[in-house]
Amino acid sequence: MKTETMDQTIVISAEALLEQWQGNRRLTRKVIEAFPEDKLFNYSIGGMRPFGKLATEMIEMCGPGIVGIATGVWENMNEANVPKTKKELLEKWDAVTDKINTYWPQIAPQRFAEIDVAFGQYKAPVYGTLFYFIDNEIHHRGQGYVYLRSLSIEPPHFWER
């Protein structure tokens, strides 16, 4: 099978990219921690999903997503397995963090420029799929900040990763 790739100019190392991603994940974890237990899974504004569901989406995307990035084998996301407590959500979050750290070293440098079809649906360079994971998290974390402020809770500073 011929693998399609994009021309590539290195502007950041794989290690620096991982640190950027994990820095965002550490910050999102702080947002999860800031939520009161009784608001995490049922509080919303303007029709947006509760933050617990948004965080679950991130977990269910990035867990199988890092496997797909590293191996080219894309498991389906399973958003039906929603945690019921903050503790369970944080445990799942941490398990995905460990999974990212386990699979990241397995990514060959040229893999980032390969064109792949993430989850059998989204054709893009692997680096583009990774950027989508990061952008999606930042977007949903912003929603979490709005929720926290509406609950009169100071969210974590965005630069403290």
Side-chain angles (χ1 to χ4, degrees):
M1 177 175 129
K2 183 180 177 200
T3 302
E4 187 179 349
T5 61
M6 303 277 300
D7 287 335
Q8 178 174 300
T9 301
I10 306 246
V11 295
I12 186 172
S13 69
E15 294 78 19
L17 181 55
L18 174 61
E19 178 53 32
Q20 179 68 20
W21 188 13
Q22 291 291 34
N24 273 287
R25 289 183 56 75
R26 286 189 297 273
L27 181 55
T28 300
R29 190 182 197 289
K30 290 178 184 180
V31 172
I32 296 168
E33 290 173 327
F35 265 86
E37 183 80 32
D38 66 331
K39 302 294 185 199
L40 184 58
F41 295 100
N42 61 26
Y43 184 76
S44 70
I45 298 173
M48 295 187 296
R49 292 174 287 163
F51 193 69
K53 288 185 180 179
L54 299 175
T56 298
E57 173 190 295
M58 294 176 237
I59 289 167
E60 296 303 330
M61 183 183 306
C62 293
I66 189 60
V67 174
I69 286 173
T71 68
V73 177
W74 295 91
E75 304 167 11
N76 290 329
M77 295 183 287
N78 181 13
E79 290 186 50
N81 191 12
V82 177
K84 305 281 188 274
T85 65
K86 184 192 300 192
K87 180 180 186 282
E88 186 180 345
L89 181 66
L90 289 169
E91 287 170 353
K92 288 177 180 272
W93 189 267
D94 293 343
V96 170
T97 297
D98 291 343
K99 193 173 202 177
I100 291 167
N101 288 335
T102 298
Y103 277 89
W104 191 268
Q106 300 175 35
I107 304 170
Q110 67 276 10
R111 175 78 177 129
F112 291 104
E114 290 177 5
I115 305 297
D116 204 343
V117 183
F119 304 110
Q121 299 180 55
Y122 310 105
K123 184 177 180 179
V126 170
Y127 69 80
T129 299
L130 177 59
F131 288 164
Y132 177 82
F133 295 168
I134 296 168
D135 291 346
N136 183 65
E137 179 177 335
I138 293 167
H139 165 71
H140 287 324
R141 187 173 61 238
Q143 290 172 286
Y145 275 54
V146 170
Y147 289 164
L148 289 173
R149 289 202 180 276
S150 74
L151 293 167
S152 299
I153 298 170
E154 182 73 23
H157 299 294
F158 76 89
W159 59 85
E160 291 181 357
R161 297 181 182 184

